[in-house]
Amino acid sequence: MAALPALTPTAMDFTAPEFPVKSSTSISGVVTRRIFGNRGSRSTLQLSFDNITDASAAQFLNAWNASRGQLDAVTVPSAVFDGASAALVSYVSDGGDGLIWHFAAPPQVQRVKPGISSVRISLEATRDL
């Protein structure tokens, strides 16, 4: 299993898991909702690492290659959640419900100046078999 570098991001955006709910609206405007499972899936985590060394940026590309892109799971180290409350860390670290993190897209590397880059990572947590 590939692992992200143990760096603290400058920004983190987390979206909680979605539940399999379908809704329909009748002609009179009544909305009916039906759930097709009792567990959520497909959390997302967007991470920004601004002004890091090129060597650190390369570690994200190495993790992408080690996970074979979106195929294999990725371990998110606890350093990613430094500064967050224990309750938030326990929820986000496993995608909100025992989910497994995967890359959702390739890492994006932006060169800031020679030797310094910024990296954007998009992860998705799913319920794997």
Side-chain angles (χ1 to χ4, degrees):
M1 181 180 299
L4 293 180
L7 299 173
T8 303
T10 52
M12 178 180 82
D13 294 316
F14 172 74
T15 302
E18 300 173 8
F19 286 85
V21 174
K22 298 289 181 186
S23 63
S24 60
T25 306
S26 69
I27 294 174
S28 64
V30 174
V31 177
T32 303
R33 291 179 184 84
R34 184 166 185 188
I35 192 164
F36 291 91
N38 62 349
R39 298 177 77 189
S41 187
R42 302 189 64 133
S43 297
T44 60
L45 184 63
Q46 311 294 323
L47 302 170
S48 298
F49 300 87
D50 294 328
N51 301 319
I52 60 175
T53 65
D54 284 347
S56 294
Q59 292 178 26
F60 289 100
L61 299 173
N62 292 338
W64 168 258
N65 288 337
S67 68
R68 297 181 288 176
Q70 299 171 336
L71 181 65
D72 293 333
V74 176
T75 301
V76 180
S78 61
V80 168
F81 309 112
D82 280 354
S85 71
L88 181 61
V89 169
S90 69
Y91 189 83
V92 175
S93 63
D94 71 353
D97 189 15
L99 302 175
I100 299 171
W101 289 112
H102 295 269
F103 279 101
Q108 298 175 334
V109 180
Q110 179 183 18
R111 184 151 188 205
V112 176
K113 64 180 188 177
I116 303 295
S117 295
S118 293
V119 178
R120 305 287 177 265
I121 301 294
S122 296
L123 302 174
E124 179 179 58
T126 57
R127 195 165 308 288
D128 293 355
L129 295 175

